Amino acid sequence: MTGTRSASEKLFSMATVRTYRGWKAYLLAVLAVLACFTLRAALELIGHFYYLPMVPAVVVTAMLARRGPTLLAIALCIAGNVALVAREGLVDTVVNAGLFLVVGCVIAEICWAQRRMHRRSIELTRTLAGRNAVLDTVLATVPVVILDREGRVRRLTPAAAGLFGVDGPRAAGRPFADLVHGFDLARQGEQASNGPLEAPTGHWIGRRPDGRPLVLSLQMGVMPEASEEDYAAVCVTDLTEAETATERARDLDLQLHQVWRLNSLGEMAATLAHELNQPLSAATTYLQASQRDIERAGLIGQSAARTLELAKGQILRAGAIIRRMREMLTSGKRTVVDERISSMIDDLRPAFALIGRERGVEIRTVIANNDDFVRAERIQFQQALINLVRNAADAVTARANPVVVIRGEALGEEGYRVTVEDNGPGISGDIESIFRPMTTTKSSGMGLGLSVTRTIVENHGGTLTVGRSDLGGAAFTVDMPRGGEAP
Ligand code: ADP
């Protein structure tokens, strides 16, 4: 745009006649008059000319200077003529001088009007050149298709040709429905001649020769003075990437839910196994002791001892069932590979945005993407991070300017550190207790998030710790061991 403006500026200055001002303008008037008297003297060789040779002096001065110098030029012409040319009488002299004054003023007015018109036309040209440049830039970058009344392509902008993967000139004459499935100009024309075009299935589906589908939105504008050929301009917006991103975010959300269900069940089973282990072992020991005592009581005692043996068997079986359940829930196939922390966090951005929107919290990410390879199971690591971010967002909702910051920094040989900080109340009391399962301060909390998160991080060979953030709240730090460099 700057280049275009300077080009039209150049055109303007070239085409604009220079205007002299001040003493230069008056000097110009005097020189022009002198030149005309010289011309007049030369013309004397062929005849008598009085005021006619003076006209160029008035024209030149009026074209190059303003009112004052022009009037001076007229006055000098009259004075020179009166002084130099012997006329037949006073009346003749006065009448000729008066006539020249009138004619001179009229010529000057015509010159000034012409100059104003010239200047206006230059300004118009400059405005049009500017608008044209804007239009050219828009058409070069925005996909637009011009259609005729039959809905056939007349022209495509380069961006539209690139989007549909067609050769612009060759696409001319093809029905637009060849490029956009289900497009029917007659029907669309009835719906809305100007504005967004509603697709039968929500979005328009574009067709490319390589078979790659396009998700599109169309806006149509009918030409105000539609010629027979150009009828409507259709502006095409490519939503494919946005749709794919939304779909990916939806998939990830679903996976995270499933993983959360399994992880929390596994954690609950582990807690149950851990908590029940002691009473079950104690019950088994007591049964063994009773069994020994009863066996000493003879025949009846032996029968009771057998019953106790059966009870012991059932208790051991209960323990085995809980252990098996825990193993089942935690022994899923693990696929740990080299992953980039920045890429795993990038995927989570829509989820962070949703958490932030729901709670009215600003969630910022400051992630260094150098040296950020870790060995990880992608979805599990993402689950751990989401848990920390959700907790942090829950903790700051009562704050005036609630904020959560996710930072990532490479630790070189030691791996990579992700910190989730907030400006909430922080953790008070026994810090380690919050990692214990079933510990919660929330009315609807299950108290499993942090224990699941720690299990996930530790399964990856990392550590999860908590401290105080400079923001005023809690800072949860995940240190992950370094991975190899992925190809
Ligand atoms: P839940 O979220 O279901 O309560 P968690 O295990 O995720 O279970 O969290 C346990 C407790 O730790 C929470 O109830 C809360 O009291 C505390 N907590 C977790 N994260 C934070 C935080 N960022 N700031 C303050 N307290 C927190």
Side-chain angles (χ1 to χ4, degrees):
M1 292 291 284
T2 322
T4 315
R5 192 168 295 145
S6 64
S8 65
E9 211 67 69
K10 230 186 261 171
L11 171 83
F12 182 71
S13 59
M14 268 164 53
T16 309
V17 180
R18 187 175 168 192
T19 303
Y20 289 88
R21 289 166 205 276
W23 64 268
K24 282 187 188 167
Y26 288 98
L27 179 65
L28 172 83
V30 173
L31 291 176
V33 173
L34 284 177
C36 285
F37 273 110
T38 314
L39 172 70
R40 188 172 161 282
L43 289 174
E44 280 297 315
L45 297 172
I46 50 169
H48 292 303
F49 300 92
Y50 300 108
Y51 281 103
L52 197 60
M54 299 294 117
V55 172
V58 179
V59 172
V60 167
T61 316
M63 288 300 281
L64 297 177
R66 288 169 178 259
R67 217 164 275 269
T70 311
L71 289 176
L72 175 69
I74 295 173
L76 287 176
C77 291
I78 293 172
N81 260 285
V82 171
L84 298 175
V85 183
R87 307 295 298 228
E88 279 162 18
L90 185 63
V91 175
D92 182 56
T93 306
V94 171
V95 169
N96 273 295
L99 273 176
F100 183 73
L101 179 66
V102 172
V103 171
C105 287
V106 170
I107 289 174
E109 279 303 332
I110 292 171
C111 288
W112 290 325
Q114 203 277 335
R115 274 183 61 178
R116 278 196 299 275
M117 271 166 55
H118 181 65
R119 190 181 292 272
R120 179 95 190 97
S121 78
I122 296 283
E123 273 170 10
L124 275 176
T125 311
R126 186 170 60 169
T127 310
L128 283 178
R131 285 194 189 165
N132 222 18
V134 171
L135 193 65
D136 282 350
T137 314
V138 169
L139 289 182
T141 49
V142 177
V144 176
V145 183
I146 309 292
L147 303 181
D148 65 12
R149 285 181 176 278
E150 310 302 319
R152 279 187 305 254
V153 174
R154 294 252 319 131
R155 285 189 304 281
L156 296 107
T157 61
L163 178 63
F164 288 110
V166 294
D167 178 35
R170 282 217 205 138
R174 280 174 66 181
F176 189 45
D178 278 5
L179 303 178
V180 176
H181 179 75
F183 183 85
D184 179 353
L185 184 64
R187 217 180 51 221
Q188 297 308 327
E190 277 167 29
Q191 270 182 21
S193 55
N194 283 297
L197 297 181
E198 241 174 71
T201 54
H203 287 310
W204 294 99
I205 302 297
R207 297 179 178 137
R208 287 173 52 96
D210 60 11
R212 186 159 61 83
L214 297 167
V215 182
L216 306 171
S217 138
L218 303 180
Q219 294 256 348
M220 186 166 84
V222 173
M223 309 270 173
E225 286 164 37
S227 67
E228 263 316 298
E229 295 83 22
D230 290 349
Y231 173 68
V234 179
C235 182
V236 185
T237 312
D238 182 10
L239 303 175
T240 316
E241 259 184 41
E243 273 294 299
T244 315
T246 313
E247 201 137 298
R248 257 209 334 258
R250 229 179 278 138
D251 274 359
L252 181 63
D253 201 46
L254 205 73
Q255 281 183 40
L256 284 170
H257 266 94
Q258 279 168 353
V259 167
W260 168 248
R261 270 210 306 273
L262 276 179
N263 279 338
S264 52
L265 268 175
E267 201 66 29
M268 245 147 73
T271 310
L272 260 180
H274 179 76
E275 297 293 324
L276 291 182
N277 196 34
Q278 225 185 339
L280 287 178
S281 314
T284 317
T285 313
Y286 292 140
L287 281 176
Q288 270 169 345
S290 318
Q291 217 178 356
R292 273 196 302 274
D293 289 345
I294 288 171
E295 271 169 357
R296 286 193 214 111
L299 271 177
I300 299 175
Q302 279 172 11
S303 158
R306 273 199 299 278
T307 318
L308 285 180
E309 181 66 31
L310 290 175
K312 201 175 86 186
Q314 291 305 314
I315 289 176
L316 289 174
R317 195 166 153 250
I321 289 172
I322 291 170
R323 268 195 305 281
R324 219 175 40 242
M325 208 171 95
R326 181 191 173 190
E327 276 162 21
M328 244 171 61
L329 288 166
T330 52
S331 69
K333 202 172 137 244
R334 297 264 176 266
T335 42
V336 178
V337 290
D338 278 336
E339 293 279 6
R340 295 192 73 157
I341 295 258
S342 53
S343 150
M344 291 192 279
I345 291 181
D346 271 348
D347 274 3
L348 290 175
R349 282 181 202 282
F352 293 157
L354 189 69
I355 293 172
R357 237 188 353 260
E358 279 173 356
R359 295 163 176 80
V361 174
E362 183 194 351
I363 299 184
R364 276 189 240 141
T365 49
V366 190
I367 305 295
N369 58 6
N370 62 308
D371 219 2
D372 64 339
F373 280 101
V374 292
R375 297 281 303 164
E377 188 181 354
R378 200 174 174 88
I379 191 74
Q380 291 285 346
F381 177 84
Q382 288 174 324
Q383 172 78 78
L385 211 57
I386 277 284
N387 288 350
L388 295 179
V389 173
R390 202 174 280 135
N391 271 345
D394 283 344
V396 295
T397 44
R399 287 286 187 259
N401 295 307
V403 63
V404 172
V405 182
I406 307 154
R407 289 183 211 285
E409 52 173 328
L411 302 177
E413 282 309 311
E414 287 175 27
Y416 197 93
R417 170 169 293 171
V418 180
T419 316
V420 179
E421 300 179 51
D422 61 68
N423 63 348
I427 314 287
S428 50
D430 177 10
I431 283 187
E432 274 307 303
S433 71
I434 59 169
F435 292 102
R436 258 176 241 134
M438 320 283 179
T439 308
T440 181
T441 54
K442 301 174 193 167
S443 55
S444 58
M446 285 168 64
L448 288 175
L450 285 178
S451 54
V452 165
T453 305
R454 187 170 253 183
T455 306
I456 293 174
V457 174
E458 287 176 354
N459 282 346
H460 282 82
T463 56
L464 170 65
T465 50
V466 63
R468 182 150 273 282
S469 157
D470 288 342
L471 300 174
F476 284 84
T477 304
V478 177
D479 281 343
M480 294 284 284
R482 188 187 165 96
E485 295 292 300

